[in-house]
Amino acid sequence: MLVVRKAAQTAARKHLCRPFSASQTHLQERKGLVLGVFEKKAEEGGLHLTQAAASFDQTLSGKLSELLKIAGPGLKKGKSRIFYGIHQDFPCVAVVGLGKDSEGICGAENWDTKKENIRQAVSAGCQVLQELEVNHVEVDDCGDAKSAAEGAVLGLFSYDQLKSKKKTRVTTQLHHGSADVDDWKKGLAYAEGQNLARFLMEAPANHITPTAFANTIEEKIAPHAERVTVNKRSKAWIKEQQMGAFLSVARGSEEPPVFLELHYNGSPDRKQPPLMLVGKGVTFDSGGISLKPSQSMDAMRADMGGAATVCAAIVTAAALKLPVNIIGLAPLCENMPSGKATKPGDVVTAKNGKTIQVDNTDAEGRLILADALCYGNTFNPRAIVNVATLTGAMDVALGSAATGVFTNSDWLWEQLHQASVVTGDRVWRMPLFQHYTKQVTDSQLADLNNIGKYSRSGGACTAAAFLREFVTAPHWAHLDIAGVMSNKDEVPYLRKGMSGRPTRTLVEFAARLAHSG
């Protein structure tokens, strides 16, 4: 009898477990919802629901508003509250604080505060739902569907491809109570572009070699093949082009260099002069013979951030079908020490015939960009923008607040600046005085020296002055992104890791150029 009773108890326990297991499966398939609330004016107090949140609250006969009041003081900007079981379609509802509805472009901060608040808040809501293993999230447009989409997709990204335990994969869509589908899709494209750059920068250097980088971009741009031509130039071609500066950096590595060339023909006018984007593509930078300190050298897997952001921007432009012609150039190589590596004091010859005394092999980015810029000049572009994690001095100067911009064109600066205000990924103009040019043209053995006469003083500025020696275009800008290469917690809607900045600003810049004629 005792055996029978035990068997019955065991069966009962198994039976009781079944609904629990089923509910776990159900929880894995459940949907979440992110809704926004604005702060009311001081004299009014409380919270002001967005249009979508107010509609949702109405379907619940005011239950959401009631719960928000019970939950305590007003919801601060970027913070979230989770409510469970208040709607049958959404077991988890995240309500996020958007700050003041009256916010807009802030001259002091050089961005649109309302857009930034939306990105931050939506990101926070999506992340907390991801932690709850919700795998599909509907998002309130919060009055700006593009910014909401950016916040959602940027906030959910994490590089865990090589880990056994991965974060919950979350799909997002615009909540049915929101109407601006086109802007939502545009925001998704912008954010996915930046995430592509983050992926390339975060991946280890033995996974993203020059060849692997070029193959990845070719694969990503393949769906737009009718508008894009991809040329993966070999070492033999680089030699034919007499790119001696580029080859001097690549020669220390066993990995062959690749010169990646992308042509996006989006304009109906095929003869329209192209926008030229050039990105530094050092897939791992050891410093060469001028070896870097071992501490944090692993971060130099992202020294191809310029190439990553430029190529990701062109992939995004193609996805958006922007009516503009763009050419992207990415000299790709590793900078490694070996018996074949360039030595301090060596003199190399760039594509334009100028000789360069290489006194520091860790100042290699400017060498590969020099040849790429010379090649870029031959296309007679309407503007050239080169992007590079070029100098530690830029990180010292601006930190992660903004990308440093050196340019010979007030028009080009305004275009880049206006684009950055919209994206919140800011830029800041830096000096390009003759004062710095003199420091790189005073060389003992050659026409130019790859480091400034006074060593570290004004290092970002002397690097820019060096690059200008290889530019003939009247509209050229050099973007030094060393300071914005990675994110700790400075940008709330980007998790810790490589940032992919300033991809969205490059895309917005190209879009504005396309629509301005």
Side-chain angles (χ1 to χ4, degrees), residues 193-194 197-198 201 309 425 484-485 498-504:
Q194 183 167 344
R198 292 164 86 183
M201 294 170 71
T309 55
D425 198 348
V484 303
M485 180 181 82
M498 299 307 169
S499 70
R501 297 169 62 189
T503 303
R504 288 182 301 114

Side-chain angles (χ1 to χ4, degrees), residues 149-198:
E150 290 175 333
V153 175
L154 292 171
L156 289 167
F157 174 86
S158 62
Y159 183 85
D160 56 9
Q161 276 80 350
L162 306 177
K163 292 186 176 183
S164 300
K165 188 177 180 181
K166 303 180 189 299
K167 288 186 178 292
T168 302
R169 289 287 175 261
V170 181
T171 57
T172 59
Q173 74 176 70
L174 187 62
H175 182 49
H176 59 77
S178 306
D180 204 344
V181 178
D182 288 343
D183 270 4
W184 171 264
K185 289 179 179 177
K186 189 182 293 184
L188 291 180
Y190 274 57
E192 285 165 0
Q194 183 167 344
N195 285 350
L196 171 57
R198 292 164 86 183

Side-chain angles (χ1 to χ4, degrees), residues 136-148:
H136 183 75
V137 177
E138 290 192 15
V139 179
D140 177 359
D141 70 11
C142 302
D144 187 328
K146 181 170 176 285
S147 297

Side-chain angles (χ1 to χ4, degrees), residues 179-352:
D180 204 344
V181 178
D182 288 343
D183 270 4
W184 171 264
K185 289 179 179 177
K186 189 182 293 184
L188 291 180
Y190 274 57
E192 285 165 0
Q194 183 167 344
N195 285 350
L196 171 57
R198 292 164 86 183
F199 168 83
L200 290 165
M201 294 170 71
E202 196 69 82
N206 63 326
H207 285 241
I208 299 294
T209 61
T211 300
F213 182 106
N215 291 342
T216 301
I217 293 301
E218 185 177 37
E219 178 188 327
K220 293 294 182 182
I221 215 160
H224 317 291
E226 74 281 0
R227 290 186 178 86
V228 182
T229 303
V230 179
N231 292 310
K232 296 182 290 185
R233 310 293 195 182
S234 67
K235 184 176 181 180
W237 181 91
I238 297 166
K239 284 182 177 178
E240 285 175 10
Q241 293 294 314
Q242 298 182 315
M243 295 183 174
F246 179 22
L247 288 169
S248 76
V249 177
R251 64 186 296 175
S253 175
E254 291 298 316
E255 289 288 341
V258 178
F259 192 93
L260 181 61
E261 184 176 336
L262 307 175
H263 290 250
Y264 168 64
N265 298 305
S267 174
D269 179 7
R270 292 301 177 98
K271 294 182 180 180
Q272 180 195 77
L275 166 64
M276 177 71 63
L277 299 178
V278 182
K280 171 188 170 184
V282 179
T283 58
F284 186 75
D285 181 18
S286 70
I289 297 298
S290 305
L291 196 67
K292 291 178 181 288
S294 60
Q295 185 179 6
S296 300
M297 193 193 284
D298 66 292
M300 289 299 96
R301 66 187 184 276
D303 205 29
M304 28 60 77
T309 55
V310 160
C311 291
I314 294 173
V315 171
T316 307
L320 292 168
K321 298 180 180 178
L322 294 182
V324 63
N325 294 334
I326 307 174
I327 295 176
L329 305 178
L332 301 163
C333 67
E334 292 182 339
N335 183 25
M336 297 290 285
S338 76
K340 297 184 295 181
T342 296
K343 304 170 291 297
D346 284 0
V347 174
V348 300
T349 305
K351 180 174 171 59
N352 65 351

Side-chain angles (χ1 to χ4, degrees), residues 17 50 88-89 117 132 139 170 189 221 228 244 275 387 389 401 491 497 516:
C17 285
T50 62
Q88 62 180 4
D89 292 337
N117 289 351
L132 294 169
V139 179
V170 181
I221 215 160
V228 182
L275 166 64
V387 187
T389 50
V491 181
S516 65

